[in-house]
């Protein structure tokens, strides 16, 4: 059945309230928000990662300096080493207490930690290692060990 639109006098479809569809094109769905949200999340994660990395690296070198200073302080707290140049058989001298041995080992470990993080502290670590080998072997008159002790104290004076 045909109906006539009374206002225009033209033929009308039964559902004349709907707007006519565009020729040949269906209506497009609204644009997806997935891509902008995904980009925002990826940017946030990337930015947080970079800031975290920078924060972590900024503390590393400060820690190396603190470790080197602590190694020098531990070496200084070891004190004067006993003179064994006159002893035929080096023995554990009463002046070398277990606390002093622990400080020497601590100085060696702290200097090694500083050198591992920052290569500028490698000479300090090498010299303190030489001193610790001399102390732990109880050959305090060892010329090489004494040279290492002098060099380590000189480096510590510059830090």
């Amino acid at each position: 059945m045909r109906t006539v639109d009374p206002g225009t006098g033209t033929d009308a479809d039964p559902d004349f309230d709907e707007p006519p569809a565009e020729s040949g094109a269906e209506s497009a769905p609204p644009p997806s928000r997935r891509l902008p949200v995904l980009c925002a999340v990826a940017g946030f994660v990337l930015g947080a990662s970079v800031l975290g990395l920078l924060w972590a690296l900024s503390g590393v070198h400060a820690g190396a300096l603190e470790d080197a200073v602590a190694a020098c302080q531990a070496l200084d707290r070891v004190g004067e080493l006993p003179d064994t140049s006159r002893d035929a058989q080096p023995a554990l001298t009463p002046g070398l207490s277990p606390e002093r041995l622990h400080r020497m080992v601590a100085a060696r470990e702290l200097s090694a930690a500083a050198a591992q993080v920052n290569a500028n502290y490698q000479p300090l670590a090498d010299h303190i290692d030489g001193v610790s080998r001399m102390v732990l072997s109880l050959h305090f008159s060892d010329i090489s060990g004494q040279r290492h002790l002098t060099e380590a104290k000189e480096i510590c004076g510059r830090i």
Side-chain angles (χ1 to χ4, degrees):
M1 159 168 178
R2 283 183 83 180
T3 59
V4 176
D5 186 7
T8 60
T10 59
D11 292 338
D13 289 327
D15 12 274
F16 57 93
D17 292 334
E18 291 184 341
E22 293 183 24
S23 59
E26 294 181 12
S27 63
S32 175
R33 293 187 180 165
R34 281 188 193 168
L35 185 60
V37 169
L38 183 63
C39 289
V41 169
F44 177 77
V45 169
L46 182 63
S49 299
V50 168
L51 284 177
L53 181 64
L54 291 175
W55 177 67
L57 290 176
S58 69
V60 168
H61 294 291
L65 175 61
E66 291 170 358
D67 285 346
V69 168
C72 289
Q73 290 171 344
L75 180 64
D76 189 45
R77 292 179 64 200
V78 169
E80 291 298 317
L81 298 176
D83 182 15
T84 58
S85 59
R86 294 181 294 268
D87 295 343
Q89 284 283 53
L92 186 60
T93 351
L96 191 61
S97 64
E99 293 84 20
R100 292 174 73 188
L101 287 173
H102 289 295
R103 287 184 184 119
M104 186 69 244
V105 171
R108 183 185 71 209
E109 292 301 316
L110 285 166
S111 65
Q116 186 175 11
V117 172
N118 188 340
N120 292 333
Y121 297 114
Q122 189 61 49
L124 176 66
D126 293 340
H127 290 301
I128 289 181
D129 182 56
V131 174
S132 74
R133 283 184 277 125
M134 175 185 71
V135 169
L136 296 176
S137 70
L138 302 176
H139 290 93
F140 300 107
S141 61
D142 180 38
I143 295 171
S144 175
Q146 291 295 327
R147 182 183 58 81
H148 283 300
L149 180 60
T150 303
E151 290 292 324
K153 286 184 177 183
E154 184 179 307
I155 293 171
C156 286
R158 291 190 306 242
I159 293 179

